[in-house]
Amino acid sequence: MIEIDEDKLIRCPVCDAVNIDKGKENTCRRCGSAIFHHRSFSTEKSWAFLITAIIAYIPANLYPMLLTSAFGIRDESTILGGVVLLWEHGSYPVAAIIFFASIIIPIMKFLILIYLLISVKYPLGKDKKVSKHKLYYITEVIGPWSMIDVFVVAILAALIHLSSVEILAGTAATAFAISVFFTLLAAHAFDETLIKENR
Amino acid sequence: MKIENEDALDNFVICHKCFTLNEEIPIADGSKACCSKCGHILYRYDSKLIDHSLALSFTGLIFFILANLFPLLQIDILGTEQFITIPKTIVSLFDNGFYIVGFVCVFLIFIFPLMIFLINILLFTLLKMERGEKLTKELLILLSHITPWSMADIFFISLLVALVKLIAFGQIHIGISFWALMVFVMIDIYITKSIHLSEIWMLRKRILFNKDKN
Ligand SMILES: [Zn+2]
Ligand SMILES: [Zn+2]
């Protein structure tokens, strides 16, 4: 018989097994994965990925996402420009989807991750109005959906390339893909066991 | 809380959504267990999990191959017909110098979805034969690393968005691959979202470690 504190139980991020938190070096008893080894710099890795993602998000919005050339007339549109254009043409649902996927979701993810990363180090949000675990879960679920616009651009560019009418992907596509990639890395690198609220 | 030994922790699950500790109890075949606090699904019990997963994985694989062989969309503009397939979409990104986006797409919509199905087939075949204690462990670990990066479902939604944008350019025809991809995505969502990895770990434990006792 061993006596354990329920607060000391953590979930292995790889195989979901319940493990006892033994302090600095936690190895999962079922799959052998390291469960967030480096307690001394627990949030730095996640911060680094997140900052890279935010930096990449700036050119992703400033540079054109889509280049259209039809009969010699070239047209460039940024992410936001594309949304506005779709809205003006009356494609409201599609405009809304792109707006959510490319603007709302990335910014929401940045803000949630910043909040979580600060709150595990400093006393913040102790009033438990919103569950931090739920916030983290939301970022994991909605995160990948921000890739929609990149895929759309890839499909359009692959489909339409005639000599007279052509669609090309813009620089923003690369920046955006990098930004999404690093946001996902930042979320995965975040140590959920650092959140100690309902325990 | 008192437990026998560390292995007894297998009788507990921590909710993915709210991190509440729940005790794992045997449930009826075909039913699911939900979190006591937030109601999120913790695990299901399917006595024929191996057969079901194998059947789904093989079906999914066939539809994945179909989805890659035929045109996804075809468009008639200015009297010429243009079509895309999934591989062509990715190749055209590389052709235009978009190596990073190309690489990201190759992994997210081709390699990872394919790998998930291949791993599932191998994993459940091994479990059916009651073999491969080490290999099944490695496969399960690999699976958990890949799953969040598989985005076939998101690609499919992107396809729908692209369709709407394309209406302005010309007559669009939906290809065979479009339907094949739709079926694949539905199977993919079912496999990755409803067969929880922890269920496979439990199954593996039951099959590989309890057989010596009987
Ligand atoms: Zn583990
Ligand atoms: Zn819960």
Side-chain angles (χ1 to χ4, degrees), chain A residues 6 13 98 102 146 181 188:
Chain A
E6 258 184 62
I98 304 275
S102 309
S146 41
F181 179 71
H188 290 310

PDB file of all heavy atoms in Angstrom, chain A residues 6 13 98 102 146 181 188:
ATOM      1  N   GLU A   6      -3.588  13.186  -4.182  1.00  0.00           N
ATOM      2  CA  GLU A   6      -4.225  13.306  -5.496  1.00  0.00           C
ATOM      3  C   GLU A   6      -3.650  14.460  -6.321  1.00  0.00           C
ATOM      4  O   GLU A   6      -3.630  14.414  -7.537  1.00  0.00           O
ATOM      5  CB  GLU A   6      -5.730  13.503  -5.326  1.00  0.00           C
ATOM      6  CG  GLU A   6      -6.517  12.227  -5.585  1.00  0.00           C
ATOM      7  CD  GLU A   6      -8.004  12.461  -5.513  1.00  0.00           C
ATOM      8  OE1 GLU A   6      -8.498  13.253  -6.328  1.00  0.00           O
ATOM      9  OE2 GLU A   6      -8.663  11.870  -4.648  1.00  0.00           O
ATOM     10  N   PRO A  13       1.461  13.193 -21.362  1.00  0.00           N
ATOM     11  CA  PRO A  13       0.916  13.835 -22.561  1.00  0.00           C
ATOM     12  C   PRO A  13       0.952  12.924 -23.782  1.00  0.00           C
ATOM     13  O   PRO A  13       0.291  13.183 -24.770  1.00  0.00           O
ATOM     14  CB  PRO A  13       1.818  15.050 -22.752  1.00  0.00           C
ATOM     15  CG  PRO A  13       3.055  14.757 -22.004  1.00  0.00           C
ATOM     16  CD  PRO A  13       2.707  13.800 -20.912  1.00  0.00           C
ATOM     17  N   ILE A  98     -12.984  32.221 -43.387  1.00  0.00           N
ATOM     18  CA  ILE A  98     -11.592  32.668 -43.539  1.00  0.00           C
ATOM     19  C   ILE A  98     -11.224  33.646 -42.425  1.00  0.00           C
ATOM     20  O   ILE A  98     -10.134  33.590 -41.856  1.00  0.00           O
ATOM     21  CB  ILE A  98     -11.368  33.351 -44.915  1.00  0.00           C
ATOM     22  CG1 ILE A  98     -11.764  32.406 -46.044  1.00  0.00           C
ATOM     23  CG2 ILE A  98      -9.930  33.819 -45.059  1.00  0.00           C
ATOM     24  CD1 ILE A  98     -10.723  31.444 -46.491  1.00  0.00           C
ATOM     25  N   SER A 102      -8.209  32.613 -40.088  1.00  0.00           N
ATOM     26  CA  SER A 102      -6.937  33.303 -40.293  1.00  0.00           C
ATOM     27  C   SER A 102      -6.685  34.452 -39.336  1.00  0.00           C
ATOM     28  O   SER A 102      -5.545  34.858 -39.144  1.00  0.00           O
ATOM     29  CB  SER A 102      -6.855  33.841 -41.725  1.00  0.00           C
ATOM     30  OG  SER A 102      -7.155  32.833 -42.634  1.00  0.00           O
ATOM     31  N   SER A 146      -6.596  26.966 -38.377  1.00  0.00           N
ATOM     32  CA  SER A 146      -6.085  28.183 -39.013  1.00  0.00           C
ATOM     33  C   SER A 146      -5.331  27.888 -40.310  1.00  0.00           C
ATOM     34  O   SER A 146      -4.988  28.794 -41.044  1.00  0.00           O
ATOM     35  CB  SER A 146      -5.235  28.996 -38.033  1.00  0.00           C
ATOM     36  OG  SER A 146      -4.426  28.160 -37.267  1.00  0.00           O
ATOM     37  N   PHE A 181       2.588  26.680 -37.731  1.00  0.00           N
ATOM     38  CA  PHE A 181       3.467  25.594 -37.302  1.00  0.00           C
ATOM     39  C   PHE A 181       4.040  25.872 -35.903  1.00  0.00           C
ATOM     40  O   PHE A 181       3.993  25.024 -35.017  1.00  0.00           O
ATOM     41  CB  PHE A 181       4.587  25.431 -38.330  1.00  0.00           C
ATOM     42  CG  PHE A 181       5.590  24.367 -38.003  1.00  0.00           C
ATOM     43  CD1 PHE A 181       5.231  23.025 -38.081  1.00  0.00           C
ATOM     44  CD2 PHE A 181       6.879  24.690 -37.624  1.00  0.00           C
ATOM     45  CE1 PHE A 181       6.155  22.033 -37.787  1.00  0.00           C
ATOM     46  CE2 PHE A 181       7.807  23.706 -37.325  1.00  0.00           C
ATOM     47  CZ  PHE A 181       7.441  22.373 -37.402  1.00  0.00           C
ATOM     48  N   HIS A 188       2.032  22.507 -27.907  1.00  0.00           N
ATOM     49  CA  HIS A 188       2.466  21.176 -27.482  1.00  0.00           C
ATOM     50  C   HIS A 188       3.549  21.236 -26.411  1.00  0.00           C
ATOM     51  O   HIS A 188       3.653  20.343 -25.574  1.00  0.00           O
ATOM     52  CB  HIS A 188       2.970  20.359 -28.680  1.00  0.00           C
ATOM     53  CG  HIS A 188       1.880  19.964 -29.609  1.00  0.00           C
ATOM     54  ND1 HIS A 188       0.724  19.358 -29.171  1.00  0.00           N
ATOM     55  CD2 HIS A 188       1.733  20.098 -30.947  1.00  0.00           C
ATOM     56  CE1 HIS A 188      -0.067  19.145 -30.206  1.00  0.00           C
ATOM     57  NE2 HIS A 188       0.516  19.588 -31.294  1.00  0.00           N
TER      58      HIS A 188
END
